[in-house]
Amino acid sequence: MPHIPLDENLPGITGILNYRPDTALPIRQLTHLLLRGDSTLSQGERELIATVVSHGNECKFCTAAHTAAADVLLGEKVTAGKVKNDLANAPVSEKMKALLTIAKAVQVSGKNVTTQMVEKARTSVATDLEIHDTVLISALFSLYNGVVDGLASVTPTDPAFYERLAIILKDKGYLPSENRYAGLKTS
């Protein structure tokens, strides 16, 4: 049961963002820019960063939501699971492994990012902008994870919910839109 009154039809971060649209808008805009804006990292790769951080923070809602979004954007269901549980053997580039290592460090504390991690990313041809965005996405999702779990938001257990949410995120991104969550309701 959530610690504050949230729309019971909007679980996870969706209800929290709906609760206070004035604070939600700038967060949504930043999230959309980072995860759907122009980047040399694919949208699926950026969702993997959100997935790894949410998994590390043990936020079940965000982990399930961004795993599903990564799966949809990557067109398969193996990679997200591997980066969460076995990064060394995940089917991603060395650059992504280096960036995801940085993401996991930020998830614990920004101070855990080492010069060696950054140099490994650069050696793996990550740009400074990709390193910057990885750190920012990681910090942003740690914030989201803290809000979702700190307010005890409802976390659905049905995988079909997250599959529906992933389609919304793929098609509409992160900005507010009319009837945004109509597709979350079961048929």
Side-chain angles (χ1 to χ4, degrees):
M1 175 112 150
H3 296 309
I4 61 173
L6 298 172
D7 184 335
E8 62 190 42
N9 296 311
L10 297 175
I13 195 67
T14 59
I16 295 166
L17 293 172
N18 191 58
Y19 178 81
R20 186 142 181 220
D22 60 330
T23 59
L25 182 60
I27 294 171
R28 283 183 179 279
Q29 290 170 328
L30 179 59
T31 306
H32 189 80
L33 175 67
L34 290 170
L35 273 68
R36 295 296 180 268
D38 290 338
S39 177
T40 50
L41 297 175
S42 74
Q43 292 180 14
E45 289 171 328
R46 290 177 276 169
E47 288 288 350
L48 289 175
I49 295 168
T51 298
V52 163
V53 170
S54 298
H55 180 74
N57 284 326
E58 300 178 3
C59 181
K60 291 179 181 179
F61 178 87
C62 294
T63 300
H66 296 286
T67 297
D71 289 349
V72 166
L73 289 163
L74 296 172
E76 47 88 1
K77 294 187 174 197
V78 173
T79 302
K82 280 284 204 181
V83 299
K84 289 186 293 191
N85 300 305
D86 186 14
L87 181 56
N89 294 304
V92 295
S93 68
E94 289 304 312
K95 175 175 83 171
M96 275 311 296
K97 287 179 184 178
L99 292 173
L100 291 167
T101 298
I102 291 171
K104 290 171 98 171
V106 171
Q107 172 259 314
V108 175
S109 169
K111 292 180 181 183
N112 285 5
V113 177
T114 66
T115 302
Q116 293 81 5
M117 288 176 190
V118 172
E119 286 308 314
K120 171 79 172 165
R122 284 188 178 128
T123 302
S124 302
V125 299
T127 66
D128 286 347
L129 184 58
E130 291 169 337
I131 294 166
H132 170 276
D133 288 358
T134 296
V135 170
L136 195 50
I137 292 167
S138 302
L140 179 62
F141 275 86
S142 285
L143 170 113
Y144 273 133
N145 302 154
V147 171
V148 167
D149 288 340
L151 291 174
S153 182
V154 173
T155 300
T157 56
D158 180 8
F161 168 86
Y162 297 100
E163 292 167 7
R164 292 189 302 274
L165 179 58
I167 297 300
I168 293 169
L169 295 176
K170 176 185 161 279
D171 293 344
K172 296 184 179 184
Y174 290 90
L175 296 176
S177 58
E178 193 171 334
N179 296 320
R180 176 175 182 78
Y181 298 116
L184 286 181
K185 297 178 182 155
T186 55
S187 333

